[in-house]
Amino acid sequence: MISRNYALAFGTIALCMSSFLTTVVRAETLVFEATTDFPVIDAGEVPYYSEAPGRPSLAIDAAIESNRNQFAKASMTYEGASGYFDITLVTLAELDGEAPYRVLIDDVLVGSAINPEVIVDYTSVRNIFENIVIPQGATISVESLANTNGKIPEGDGTAFARGRWTSLELDSSDAGTIAEDETDLAVDVSIDASRLVVGESSTLVVNIDNGSDSAVATQPLVTLTRPHTQLDIETGPLESCTESGDEIVCHLSEIPAGGSHQMFLVLTALEASSSVPLQVTVTADQTDSYIADNSVTLPLQIDARSDAEGTSTDTIENGGNGLTPDTTMNATESESRSGGGVSVGLLGLLLIATFGLKRRYQWS
């Protein structure tokens, strides 16, 4: 009877401990549902729509052609305690395209992923980004893009994946345990011309510094994001880069503590636009101690090429008359520079002579 009571007691204790441990683990993982916990779903280039209650996902209406190959963005405000988290973005992989996804904290890119090819539509995929610092009050955003792999016929073209995703999870159980491995990466860019002309190119210089005193930045990634139909980017031979839609991801060699890396890129303007944002973001394997300088957005403008461009130029060189050897002038310009100039000169001489005679007459 005594042994039975002990067994019951230990069984009750074990059950309570199991329940307690389960509660603790669950408390460390916060789950935010796409359709209910992200109140802003139209913050991107195109809007999301909710597929609830049929499917608990946000998606892009790719039936509208203008929504294709552009990023939608959903945002929420994180009201929990500041800390390090492993972020898991749960996406739905589709048969008709491999959609790219991005996670941002206060508009700074902290993780990106591309859905794999699948043989079952709406396969759930868990994309994990480790040791991400999220301060209290931060804006957490998820972006995705509707694209096609050209494999599923639909109408006159092919079907598009709709960039679907269902939830975002924050797990603090294993995150932020190695503070000494923190890097301090910063990115800075310069360009020889922020106003481009269609068909012309410009050089973009990207400087990446590791301000840490001890941590080496391993497997650093530079992500370039721009409207790919408006701006082409040619990367250099020292980086291994892949392109998907508007995004180019470049893998760099490790950056030592206190070291730096420089990239030279060639930008070619493809389509006129008054606003062409180019975002450059750097990340590495290690947690970054200060993420505010990990990303920079360069506002560009692309002008249409004028058909008359270059037919009449008047530049000042070597202190001369402003004409280069290959400068061409039309008939009107020639007259104004020759005959018109002589007429003005003769008139001036006549006025001077008349004034002189008048003065002479008055004195006499």
Side-chain angles (χ1 to χ4, degrees):
M1 188 68 178
I2 294 176
S3 61
R4 182 180 177 184
N5 288 338
Y6 273 115
L8 287 172
F10 280 117
T12 302
I13 293 172
L15 182 61
C16 291
M17 289 186 67
S18 174
S19 176
F20 172 75
L21 291 174
T22 301
T23 302
V24 170
V25 171
R26 287 178 180 172
E28 292 177 337
T29 302
L30 305 174
V31 179
F32 300 97
E33 303 294 340
T35 58
T36 58
D37 294 321
F38 284 78
V40 180
I41 62 174
D42 59 355
E45 299 169 318
V46 297
Y48 280 118
Y49 71 93
S50 173
E51 296 188 300
R55 185 182 296 116
S57 54
L58 291 180
I60 301 166
D61 188 358
I64 302 174
E65 290 190 9
S66 59
N67 285 352
R68 300 172 181 176
N69 296 309
Q70 297 197 75
F71 277 95
K73 182 178 183 179
S75 299
M76 59 159 285
T77 300
Y78 172 67
E79 298 178 349
S82 303
Y84 290 87
F85 297 89
D86 293 340
I87 300 178
T88 300
L89 178 65
V90 183
T91 65
L92 296 180
E94 304 175 55
L95 297 174
D96 38 18
E98 290 70 56
Y101 296 83
R102 302 191 296 216
V103 176
L104 303 96
I105 306 298
D106 287 334
D107 285 330
V108 175
L109 182 69
V110 296
S112 61
I114 298 176
N115 268 346
E117 292 188 30
V118 293
I119 58 175
V120 178
D121 216 6
Y122 309 127
T123 297
S124 180
V125 178
R126 296 176 63 83
N127 305 279
I128 302 175
F129 313 107
E130 297 181 338
N131 273 7
I132 306 300
V133 178
I134 304 180
Q136 186 178 39
T139 298
I140 301 176
S141 302
V142 176
E143 296 181 335
S144 65
L145 178 146
N147 65 2
T148 180
N149 55 21
K151 296 180 179 180
I152 309 297
E154 183 177 85
D156 296 331
T158 57
F160 275 69
R162 298 198 170 200
R164 292 177 165 96
W165 61 281
T166 59
S167 64
L168 182 138
E169 302 173 6
L170 304 181
D171 183 4
S172 60
S173 58
D174 295 322
T177 56
I178 312 177
E180 63 270 20
D181 281 344
E182 287 186 346
T183 57
D184 183 16
L185 296 179
V187 62
D188 182 43
V189 299
S190 61
I191 189 171
D192 52 15
S194 61
R195 189 164 183 170
L196 309 177
V197 176
V198 171
E200 296 185 356
S201 298
S202 183
T203 301
L204 177 73
V205 181
V206 179
N207 295 294
I208 301 151
D209 297 314
N210 180 7
S212 172
D213 294 331
S214 57
V216 176
T218 59
Q219 298 188 28
L221 298 178
V222 171
T223 303
L224 308 162
T225 307
R226 87 297 186 205
H228 74 279
T229 58
Q230 298 174 334
L231 189 66
D232 180 65
I233 299 178
E234 181 181 346
T235 57
L238 300 180
E239 297 85 27
S240 174
C241 303
T242 57
E243 181 172 359
S244 176
D246 290 348
E247 188 173 274
I248 298 176
V249 179
C250 297
H251 298 256
L252 311 183
S253 56
E254 65 180 30
I255 304 176
S260 62
H261 182 89
Q262 194 170 60
M263 301 173 63
F264 294 90
L265 310 173
V266 178
L267 311 183
T268 301
L270 303 177
E271 181 181 289
S273 176
S274 60
S275 178
V276 182
L278 171 60
Q279 184 180 53
V280 183
T281 302
V282 62
T283 59
D285 282 345
Q286 293 73 24
T287 298
D288 199 291
S289 61
Y290 183 68
I291 65 173
D293 55 2
N294 285 27
S295 183
V296 62
T297 299
L298 190 65
L300 302 176
Q301 179 174 332
I302 299 177
D303 296 329
R305 175 179 289 276
S306 172
D307 292 337
E309 183 178 349
T311 59
S312 177
T313 59
D314 192 5
T315 59
I316 299 176
E317 289 187 357
N318 302 324
N321 61 6
L323 297 179
T324 57
D326 60 347
T327 299
T328 60
M329 295 186 295
N330 58 33
T332 304
E333 290 174 328
S334 179
E335 181 180 354
S336 66
R337 293 175 185 266
S338 57
V342 172
S343 300
V344 172
L346 289 174
L347 180 60
L349 290 174
L350 290 172
L351 290 173
I352 292 171
T354 302
F355 178 77
L357 290 172
K358 183 177 180 181
R359 299 278 292 185
R360 181 178 180 182
Y361 177 78
Q362 290 175 343
W363 291 340
S364 62

